Amino acid sequence: MRRPGPGLSRPLCGAALAAVLLLSGTAPAGAGPPEGVPAADGKGQELPGMPSVLADRTGCTPASKAKAEKQDWSRQRLDLERVRRHGTGAGVTVALIDTGVATGAAGTDGRVTARGAAGEDCVGHGTFLAGLIAGSGRGDARLAGVAPGAELLALRGTDERGRPEASLVTRAVRDATEAGAEVIAVGVALPERNAGLTRAVADAVEAGAVVVAAAAPDPPSRAVGKEIPARTYWPAGEPGVLSVADMLPGGARPDGALPTDSVDLVAPGAGVVSGGPRGSGHYLGSGPSVAAAYAAGTAAVVRGTRPDDSPEEVARRLRATAYPADIPQLDAYAAVTAVLGEPGGAAVADTGSEPVALRDTAAADRATGRAVVFVLIGTAGVLAVLWAGYAVPRARARGWRSADAGGK
């Protein structure tokens, strides 16, 4: 069942959000850092931002010269190291519809097949998402994707500059269906419904594919502070599609996130680390497309461990095992390991594997608690000083007698 959009999940206040991001080691971002502007990974290290669209008359996104020095908050939040002990998506093909995926990119280990021009990725965004879905980590297992054993089918849903087109997305969905992809990840979001795309998505679901799509476009930085009415984006709004939006460590959507009418899940989508099409360095990316990539990778692991499950059962599993909130938050480990009862029933632990709980004990949430404690302690300290400044002189003037003593 679709959940209401981001109106029910308010962003954290500025001070608390800053504390959370500092404690959790991430850089704040709504749609990733603006083009060409580096951002810190939490240790003061500068990582360039990964754009989703290139401006006209600019070159391709250059290779990053920086490498992340530690695992980012998103992978800790999703417990990916434990997820991979139960499955890696081996034997599953994930079709990724975005700006393309560089077939020779570091960390893909020869597991990328491209249709047409999709083997070249000038923007770099599709290659970035591929690393989150199925990357091997570019030599660092801590930065691997959710399903590093999965095969990737790269398809273009945009032009060379990253601008999405309904005709390209429709053709890509049909190509993915014809290729027998078990999971179709759509990183782009269109503002208008298209009849051809509607039919293509319905055919994909009927053919047995789990279709996961970004609930909204990755917004440019200029969207911050502007009032934009909520709307449905496509193909995320199509029946049978798992619609995924981005969240900050505390669970709220970022400032400047484009509002949308309905969302099935939120997943980490701010200050996330992955690679690009050129070189072996890292970038920071953000937005609903990043969150959708994490959900698609989780679906690939589920399909690999539960090959007899239907697309509806896989989507239900991701929703049912999500951490309950205004908008349920993806829990990749629970999705892979939990045992589900009848539809509508609660998830219970798989006694044949490690204990499972639908958790709110992620490091980022602990950081949120610490930040709140620090704020309360600081506030109490300030109030104590102000009270002392008021009460001590009055008490001294009374000769340290209580006010009740009056003139006695």
Side-chain angles (χ1 to χ4, degrees):
M1 178 178 178
R2 290 287 167 87
R3 301 302 179 102
L8 294 179
S9 186
R10 301 294 183 190
L12 298 175
C13 69
L17 174 58
V20 170
L21 291 172
L22 285 172
L23 289 167
S24 62
T26 66
E35 241 178 275
V37 178
D41 73 345
K43 278 190 168 184
Q45 180 190 10
E46 298 295 317
L47 295 178
M50 174 57 73
S52 57
V53 180
L54 294 177
D56 292 331
R57 297 183 299 278
T58 60
C60 297
T61 301
S64 171
K65 298 179 180 179
K67 286 193 175 184
E69 297 175 357
K70 66 174 184 177
Q71 188 179 56
D72 63 13
W73 75 273
S74 65
R75 289 167 170 84
Q76 296 174 24
R77 176 63 174 258
L78 296 176
D79 225 349
L80 296 191
E81 291 183 1
R82 287 210 298 165
V83 168
R84 291 190 289 267
R85 297 176 196 169
H86 296 271
T88 63
V92 176
T93 297
V94 180
L96 174 57
I97 301 173
D98 201 77
T99 63
V101 178
T103 53
T108 55
D109 307 326
R111 289 177 288 111
V112 178
T113 302
R115 289 284 183 96
E120 298 178 2
D121 186 10
C122 181
V123 180
H125 191 259
T127 307
F128 182 94
L129 299 183
L132 301 178
I133 295 171
S136 62
R138 300 186 172 220
D140 187 344
R142 299 173 304 168
L143 295 172
V146 188
E151 300 289 326
L152 284 166
L153 174 60
L155 298 162
R156 276 258 184 96
T158 72
D159 64 14
E160 291 183 357
R161 313 303 293 173
R163 294 180 288 256
E165 297 178 10
S167 61
L168 294 177
V169 178
T170 301
R171 179 69 263 171
V173 171
R174 294 210 173 277
D175 285 346
T177 304
E178 292 170 5
E182 290 92 344
V183 178
I184 300 176
V186 186
V188 300
L190 301 166
E192 302 293 338
R193 195 175 193 182
N194 177 275
L197 181 55
T198 297
R199 289 192 296 271
V201 169
D203 290 343
V205 173
E206 185 178 355
V210 177
V211 183
V212 181
D218 294 342
S221 58
R222 64 178 178 272
V224 176
K226 289 189 175 182
E227 290 294 331
I228 299 176
R231 63 181 305 166
T232 299
Y233 294 90
W234 312 94
E238 296 292 352
V241 175
L242 195 68
S243 174
V244 187
D246 48 339
M247 75 175 189
L248 294 166
R253 293 200 66 200
D255 287 332
L258 293 174
T260 183
D261 291 329
S262 60
V263 177
D264 289 308
L265 293 171
V266 289
V272 174
V273 174
S274 189
R278 289 163 282 280
S280 58
H282 294 111
Y283 304 78
L284 283 180
S286 300
S289 64
V290 170
Y294 272 140
T298 303
V301 177
V302 171
R303 300 224 76 169
T305 57
R306 308 180 67 87
D308 295 330
D309 281 7
S310 68
E312 294 78 10
E313 289 170 329
V314 174
R316 171 184 162 241
R317 170 171 286 274
L318 266 64
R319 292 192 300 265
T321 58
Y323 176 71
D326 285 346
I327 307 176
Q329 301 168 11
L330 175 68
D331 187 333
Y333 182 71
V336 172
T337 60
V339 175
L340 299 184
E342 294 299 318
V348 298
D350 178 355
T351 56
S353 61
E354 298 176 52
V356 177
L358 301 185
R359 315 176 295 291
D360 61 347
T361 56
D365 287 344
R366 292 196 297 269
T368 305
R370 291 198 299 270
V372 173
V373 170
F374 293 159
V375 171
L376 292 177
I377 291 174
T379 302
V382 170
L383 291 176
V385 170
L386 292 175
W387 176 251
Y390 168 78
V392 169
R394 291 175 61 86
R396 184 182 292 115
R398 293 196 304 269
W400 302 100
R401 294 175 298 170
S402 69
D404 292 339
K408 291 180 183 178

